[in-house]
Structure formats: structure tokens, C-alpha cells
Amino acid sequence: MRTLLGERVEKTPVWFMRQAGRSLPEYRALRSQGSMLDACLTPELASEITLQPVRRHGVDAAIFFSDIIVPLAILGIEVEIAAGRGPVFARPLSTAADIARAVEIDPALVRERGEAIARAVELTTDMLAEESESRGEPLPLIGFAGAPFTLAAYLVEGGPSKDHLAARRLIHEDPAAWNALTEWLARVTGEFLALQVASGASAAQLFDSWAGGLPPEDYRAAALPASAASLDAVRALPVPEGAGIDHIPLVHFGVGTGEILRDMASIGIDALGVDYRVPLDEAARRVGSHLTLQGNLDPALLFAPAGVRDAAIERILEAGRSARAHVFNLGHGVPMQADPDAISSVVRTVHGWRSA
């Protein structure tokens, strides 16, 4: 948390997006029965899955095991996570009338119906406290949620899409309907993030998978305002007594966002996640020195020979010195086929590195 807020520490902290999940045999054993949504909404399962990579890899933070569509499922929107495909909605929001019906659902129901999420976070923080005591250092839990644009793209398309054509079309064909949808999703996302933080998460990450699919002008007009608004619910929460910080750290990450990094950095966040396409020193040049940067090893390098991978890690750690502080991460999520030993090796290399 100190690094997210800008403090340079001797050992660069490291965690991985999707570290809790499919690359781990212990995860696959737990998930052999039941759906992905079942696992997300079963507190004992979600907390155990969240802790698995902390124990195995020795990472410096846990990321809450969930999915970006969980708050929509909590609201009663019919969705499943299809194996090998991703979220699939039974009734895509194809028309303005579809959107008008959806936005009538009160986003406050996410917190009112979110007992399973709150309990999972509480169990996780209890388990992290035990692990922290064993290691002799604090281990925070990072909460996360999908950004409004990415959620809107899924809802309008009805599932994953390579080009998000239906969503991009709606932005220009019916701006009023699009704005109504993203403003509603900003409240949904805010409620989901606030639920996790109020239950014990120490920081929150806004994850915009598809932001890089928009031209910069459209991103600024049709996506960024809702992303900014979604973080207000976390900012409104009191900081836990004795936390030693004056606000909850916020992280913003998107994929393929090199052309909009400066925009993503403009919404009052503490750290910006950078995908593997932009070197961290170049990212720091684009956004300025007032933010912590997070990233950005290409996940493909998890499959490279150890010497090649270690050299890339050291280049990233050196480039990260251009920012005010650096949290090491991948430039996207851990691939399902990744060797867990390679992931653990990355942690050891990062922890063993010291700036000259």
C-alpha cells in the first residue's frame, strides 16, 4: 500500500493479475465441480482460492477472486461464464428499450444482496492476517471491478467480442442510451468496489479490459467519465482507523491503452497499470511522475527460458525507476497454461533485485 501511495521501498512489491485461478493445480482441483459463478459466490471457496497464490508464490498482495460480471449477477441479470469463452448474457441489451429496463434496477442492491462477497472478503482478510504473521510482513487484499465501458461492451454484445462493433455503434447511434447505460454501470461498479473495501480490502483496482478498443476521442467522451464516477463510492468510504493512510489507494488498468494512458491517469488515481506494449519509462514520460506505475512483464515471457525471462524482468525494474514508485506485475493476466514454478521464479527475481 505504501508503494501504491508513492513510497519507494527497498524491495519492489509484486503480485499478478489472475494470480488466483486457472494456472494453479490446487485451483483446478477446487473448481472441478460447480460453476465459476458458484465459486465466486461461495465465501469459503472464494477466500481459499484468493489465498492459494499467496502461499505458493510468496507474492506481496492478494487479489480478490471474483469476476467482473459478479455484480451484474447479484442484480439478477441472467449471465453465465462459459468455459473457454467467457461471460455470456441470456438477453443482450440490444436496444434502447432493453437498456431502459436494465437501468431501472437499483445499483444499491449490489451491497444489499452482497452478503456472500462481504463474507468472502472477511474470511480472506482473516486468512491473510495469519499469513502476514507467519511471514512477518503485512499482506493486503486488493479488491477489483470491471470498468463501465468493458461491462457495457459485454452487455450490448451479449458476450466476448473481438471488435466490440455493437457497443461502438451504439455510442454513435444512440448516445443517450449509451450514456444511461454507462452512468448506471458506474454506480454498479462503485457499489461493488465499495462493498469489497468496506468489508476489508485495502485497495481497489478498476479493470478496463476493452478500453484499448476505442479511439482516444471516443474513450474520453464515452468511457472515461463513467470510470471516473465509479471510483467516487470508494472515495466516500472512511479510512479504517489505524491504517496509517489518508485514503484508499486506487489503481486503474486497461489493455492496449498506450494512446490513452494520460487520460486513464487523469481520474484521481494513485497507480496506473501498464500493459506489456509500452515500456514503463515511456509510460512515465506520458503520464508524468505523480503516479505509481504497475506492470508490465509480457505474460508470454512466462514461457521463455529463465535467463531470457530474468533479463526482461530486470529491464522492467530499471524502467520502473522512472516512476515515483513501482509495483511489479504482468502486463495482463496469468495465462492458464503458465507453469506455476515460472511464476514463483518471477517473484524471487523481483524480490532479489535492488536498484544500483
Side-chain angles (χ1 to χ4, degrees), residues 166-191:
R168 288 162 47 215
R169 171 180 169 177
L170 184 64
I171 288 172
H172 300 286
E173 187 177 65
D174 193 341
W178 176 262
N179 289 340
L181 178 58
T182 53
E183 288 170 6
W184 177 73
L185 287 168
R187 294 181 59 202
V188 171
T189 290
E191 292 286 340

Side-chain angles (χ1 to χ4, degrees), residues 182-348:
T182 53
E183 288 170 6
W184 177 73
L185 287 168
R187 294 181 59 202
V188 171
T189 290
E191 292 286 340
F192 191 54
L193 285 174
L195 173 63
Q196 295 171 66
V197 171
S199 302
S202 298
Q205 173 162 303
L206 187 66
F207 193 94
D208 209 347
S209 307
W210 308 131
L214 287 176
E217 184 176 348
D218 288 350
Y219 176 76
R220 293 175 196 125
L224 189 60
S227 288
S230 70
L231 299 176
D232 288 344
V234 176
R235 294 192 182 98
L237 294 173
V239 176
E241 190 174 343
I245 54 178
D246 61 2
H247 66 278
I248 302 297
L250 297 170
V251 187
H252 195 188
F253 174 78
V255 180
T257 53
E259 297 302 314
I260 55 173
L261 284 178
R262 188 187 297 271
D263 303 294
M264 294 181 66
S266 70
I267 59 173
I269 55 171
D270 300 284
L272 182 69
V274 182
D275 83 358
Y276 56 89
R277 296 172 178 86
V278 180
L280 290 185
D281 48 358
E282 172 60 19
R285 188 191 69 78
R286 294 183 189 183
V287 305
S289 58
H290 65 294
L291 286 179
T292 295
L293 293 184
Q294 178 178 282
N296 67 344
L297 182 70
D298 184 346
L301 281 159
L302 292 174
F303 305 93
V308 174
R309 184 171 60 241
D310 287 348
I313 292 169
E314 292 184 8
R315 284 197 299 272
I316 290 167
L317 288 164
E318 286 292 340
R321 296 173 64 186
S322 300
R324 68 171 186 177
H326 176 209
V327 176
F328 195 93
N329 208 307
L330 297 181
H332 199 184
V334 174
M336 177 174 59
Q337 305 87 348
D339 181 349
D341 290 342
I343 302 170
S344 297
S345 172
V346 173
V347 175
R348 290 193 296 272

Side-chain angles (χ1 to χ4, degrees), residues 124-148:
T124 303
T125 52
D126 287 347
M127 296 160 75
L128 280 171
E130 293 178 8
E131 188 72 18
S132 298
E133 187 171 348
S134 172
R135 280 206 211 170
E137 57 186 9
L139 291 167
L141 175 65
I142 301 171
F144 84 99

